[in-house]
């Protein structure tokens, strides 16, 4: 994590965790985040991330959101798409995060679309998504 600039995430109120450390804590019944946000392309590219996302869906341990340009077929029926119109305050935070990340402000959108995790219940149906 030390090679990554986490300021944009911190501006948005997120507390990034080291992936390997958090996954070890998860298997040892240690601390686990309340929410997990994952880029869909990372889900598809990294087996560790894929496994962690699927484990999170199966265990109902955290709210799960995926964002990005792809919609992994493996998550069909387990996630639903939801769009959110950002509030004025959220837009201000996002502008600050964009500036901290060195992104052009004109590329910022005021609506965000996510895949929301829907853990599968024991009877195979979907529970309510977050």
């Amino acid at each position: 994590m030390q090679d990554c600039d986490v300021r944009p995430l911190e501006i948005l109120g997120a507390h990034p965790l080291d992936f390997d450390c958090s996954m070890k804590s998860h298997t040892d019944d240690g601390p686990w985040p309340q929410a997990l946000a994952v880029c869909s392309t990372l889900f598809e590219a990294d087996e560790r991330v894929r496994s962690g996302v699927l484990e999170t869906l199966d265990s109902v341990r955290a709210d799960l959101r995926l964002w990005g340009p792809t919609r992994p077929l493996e998550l069909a029926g387990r996630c639903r798409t939801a769009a959110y119109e950002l509030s004025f305050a959220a837009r201000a935070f996002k502008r600050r995060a964009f500036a901290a990340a060195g992104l052009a402000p004109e590329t910022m959108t005021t609506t965000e679309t996510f895949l929301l995790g829907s853990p599968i219940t024991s009877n195979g149906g979907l529970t309510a998504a977050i």
Side-chain angles (χ1 to χ4, degrees):
M1 199 66 140
Q2 57 265 37
D3 296 343
C4 183
D5 181 5
V6 298
R7 288 178 303 152
L9 293 171
E10 291 171 341
I11 289 169
L12 295 173
H15 178 71
L17 301 174
D18 176 76
F19 183 81
D20 291 322
C21 179
S22 66
M23 293 310 289
K24 181 183 180 316
S25 295
H26 173 62
T27 60
D28 293 343
D29 288 328
W32 187 247
Q34 290 179 305
L36 186 60
V38 177
C39 180
S40 60
T41 53
L42 186 58
F43 172 88
E44 293 175 325
D46 189 319
E47 178 57 35
R48 298 171 311 147
V49 172
R50 183 186 155 284
S51 178
V53 166
L54 295 175
E55 172 72 24
T56 298
L57 280 171
D58 291 341
S59 68
V60 195
R61 289 189 66 149
D63 292 337
L64 176 66
R65 293 177 189 227
L66 281 87
W67 80 92
T70 64
R71 299 290 183 249
L73 290 176
E74 187 171 9
L75 299 178
R78 299 191 72 182
C79 293
R80 67 177 176 88
T81 302
Y84 294 98
E85 183 68 28
L86 298 179
S87 68
F88 182 77
R91 292 175 193 188
F93 277 112
K94 189 172 180 179
R95 274 192 295 279
R96 294 285 306 269
F98 265 53
L103 300 172
E106 63 273 6
T107 62
M108 188 182 104
T109 60
T110 60
T111 302
E112 296 191 358
T113 304
F114 298 96
L115 287 179
L116 303 180
S118 298
I120 294 178
T121 62
S122 58
N123 66 4
L126 294 177
T127 62
I130 50 178

